[in-house]
């Protein structure tokens, strides 16, 4: 599916932010592990969380969706079981890495596969700690397909994260939880803490302390988890596309309700505000242990910014759309320490650079980032042109938003991947004044 932009987009109105992808996947996994009746509201019915739901159902979770799109977990009379059929996690890195933790901790037998993008992504980052914990795990040179066979993880485990990754942290926590062992994780740079918050919210004995500037996360061996309901807050990573759309156009105001504001995820808001964005944060509240708020975003004069170091893991998924904001800001934006972007659903630094080159946006590449030479004007294109999404949802949506500032329509190719994280993107952006044509 290619999508073509229109040149008269004028963003305003009020929209509800779609459910958070990271949280939706975690609540399925922890909810199914808890094995009790539970209702999940606000779940993101995107392809990634649905892959995780299918994966859990393949090992016996019996998760259902009702006619109001609520997710229903029901108490089963048996625990999880092995899977003879391959478990396909599609495009979802979170689904795969977290399921590997759960299934290893349970000592199950299962084989995991995924789509072309997931099959090319590095998995040693979870395979190595899981193997150290005692899992029997075989991969194809650190990548999919990956098989695990029955094992017993029974020693307490301590691990210092060599890369800033919430998926690795969560994989180890889930393996420890499922195996019933004590786990300690040392996290030199803060990454999203949804797993820790959710475990705490469900009654687990988990504490995070600080030592020499690093987080030390400790989960004890005996945990009685309990919850009857969970409400997933909106995904700030999805809201970021809407925020930038309003900021770079003549928007009189766009209200985005129910946006997750977890401090380990809200870096994009800080960055945009530092760039001069006019964003009002209203109705701050807590929903199932996660902060959330409503945002009002108005047209703003943006300026360039320097981004490196500890903020990077906090904004890792938003860097492509921040780069688009930077392209229409006054002055230079410098992004460093972001080499992890090269192993996401696509090589996002390369994909952004190629799209920028097609649009004539001046930039310079580094192995771990780029310098973007911004200018607030509309880009004058001599003719319509095509941009490659690289089958990556965040690249596709970033360039569709860039289309708001192009003098001619642009076509972003292969946009199906948007359904992994933002299934109603086309309808929602149309409801606030920007038509995309299939
Ligand atoms: C995620 C963690 C991040 C992020 C991804 C979702 C999660 O990945 O990029 O989209 O749900 O834990 P890493 O753990 O690889 O940094």
């Amino acid at each position: 599916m290619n999508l073509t932009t229109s040149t008269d987009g004028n963003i305003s109105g009020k929209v509800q932010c779609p459910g958070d992808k990271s949280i939706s996947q975690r609540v399925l996994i922890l909810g199914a592990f808890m094995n009790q009746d539970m209702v999940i509201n606000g779940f993101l019915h995107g392809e990634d969380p649905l892959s995780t739901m299918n994966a859990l159902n393949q090992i016996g979770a019996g998760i259902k969706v009702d006619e109001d799109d609520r997710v229903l977990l029901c108490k089963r009379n048996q625990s999880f079981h092995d899977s003879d059929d391959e478990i396909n996690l599609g495009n979802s890195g979170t689904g795969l890495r977290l399921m590997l933790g759960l299934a290893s901790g349970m000592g199950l037998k299962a084989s995991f596969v995924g789509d072309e993008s997931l099959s090319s992504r590095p998995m040693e980052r979870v395979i190595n700690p899981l193997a150290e914990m005692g899992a029997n795990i075989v991969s194809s040179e650190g990548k999919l397909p990956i098989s695990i066979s029955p094992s017993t993880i029974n020693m307490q485990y301590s691990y210092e994260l060599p890369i800033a990754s919430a998926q690795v942290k969560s994989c180890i926590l889930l393996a420890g939880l499922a195996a019933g062992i004590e786990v300690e994780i040392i996290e030199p740079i803060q990454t999203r803490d949804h797993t820790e918050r959710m475990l705490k919210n469900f009654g687990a004995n988990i504490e995070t302390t600080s030592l020499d500037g690093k987080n030390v996360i400790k989960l004890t061996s005996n945990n009685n988890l309990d919850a009857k309901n969970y409400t997933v807050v909106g995904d700030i990573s999805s809201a970021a596309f809407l925020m930038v759309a309003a900021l770079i156009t003549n928007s009189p105001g766009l209200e985005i309700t129910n946006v997750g504001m977890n401090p380990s995820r809200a870096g994009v808001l800080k960055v945009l505000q530092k760039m001069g964005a006019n964003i009002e944060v209203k109705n701050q509240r807590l929903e199932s242990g996660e902060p959330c708020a409503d945002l009002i975003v108005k047209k703003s004069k943006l300026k360039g910014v320097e981004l490196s170091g500890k903020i990077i893991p906090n904004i890792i998924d938003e860097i492509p759309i921040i780069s688009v904001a930077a392209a229409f800001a006054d002055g230079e934006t410098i992004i460093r320490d972001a080499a992890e972007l090269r192993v996401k659903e696509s090589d996002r630094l390369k994909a952004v650079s190629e799209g920028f080159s097609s649009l004539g946006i001046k930039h310079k590449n580094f192995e771990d980032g780029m310098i973007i030479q911004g200018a607030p004007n509309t880009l004058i294109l001599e003719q319509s042109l095509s941009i490659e999404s690289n089958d990556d949802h965040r690249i596709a949506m970033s360039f569709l938003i860039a289309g708001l500032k192009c003098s001619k329509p642009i076509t972003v190719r292969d946009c199906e991947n948007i359904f992994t994280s933002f299934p109603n993107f086309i309808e929602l952006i149309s409801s606030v004044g920007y038509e995309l044509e299939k």
Side-chain angles (χ1 to χ4, degrees), residues 184-228:
E184 176 189 75
I185 298 172
I186 298 149
E187 183 180 51
I189 302 182
Q190 173 78 56
T191 66
R192 62 190 70 190
D193 64 358
H194 303 303
T195 307
E196 298 92 299
R197 278 175 188 260
M198 198 177 289
L199 279 166
K200 187 114 198 136
N201 191 259
F202 292 168
N205 296 313
I206 183 164
E207 293 302 337
T208 302
T209 52
S210 180
L211 186 68
D212 301 333
K214 301 175 183 179
N215 286 337
V216 181
I217 303 153
K218 280 191 180 153
L219 175 69
T220 64
S221 57
N222 37 22
N223 289 287
N224 286 321
L225 307 188
D226 179 50
K228 300 275 169 282

Side-chain angles (χ1 to χ4, degrees), residues 20-48:
D20 188 281
K21 177 157 81 80
S22 292
I23 297 175
S24 292
Q25 310 215 66
R26 283 159 171 79
V27 70
L28 285 180
I29 295 174
L30 282 180
F33 173 76
M34 276 158 47
N35 192 15
Q36 57 184 49
D37 292 340
M38 180 171 161
V39 180
I40 305 171
N41 288 293
F43 181 80
L44 176 75
H45 292 272
E47 285 172 3
D48 278 9

Side-chain angles (χ1 to χ4, degrees), residues 20-23 25-26 48 93-95 97-98 121 125 163-170 191-192 194-195 237 265 313 316-317 340 343-345 348 393-394:
D20 188 281
K21 177 157 81 80
S22 292
I23 297 175
Q25 310 215 66
R26 283 159 171 79
D48 278 9
T94 302
R97 292 181 176 133
L98 271 55
R121 296 179 66 186
R125 55 183 65 195
I163 33 173
S165 166
Q167 292 177 354
V168 176
K169 170 175 66 175
S170 303
T191 66
R192 62 190 70 190
H194 303 303
T195 307
S237 304
R265 291 286 299 284
I316 195 74
D317 291 342
E340 269 293 301
V343 290
K344 294 293 176 189
E345 285 82 328
R348 288 186 172 155
H393 54 134
R394 301 207 193 278

Side-chain angles (χ1 to χ4, degrees), residues 76-145:
R76 319 174 295 270
N77 36 24
Q78 58 177 43
S79 162
F80 293 126
H81 55 67
D82 295 342
S83 174
D84 290 332
D85 298 327
E86 282 177 339
I87 298 178
N88 190 336
L89 267 309
N91 194 244
S92 180
T94 302
L96 174 64
R97 292 181 176 133
L98 271 55
M99 284 299 298
L100 284 170
L102 176 82
S104 300
M106 300 291 305
L108 300 180
K109 172 176 166 291
S111 304
F112 295 85
V113 293
D115 71 4
E116 204 183 318
S117 152
L118 192 58
S119 303
S120 70
R121 296 179 66 186
M123 295 300 149
E124 310 90 342
R125 55 183 65 195
V126 288
I127 293 172
N128 295 343
L130 286 174
E132 268 179 27
M133 290 175 95
N136 286 327
I137 182 160
V138 178
S139 72
S140 168
E141 295 178 4
K143 295 190 175 152
L144 285 176

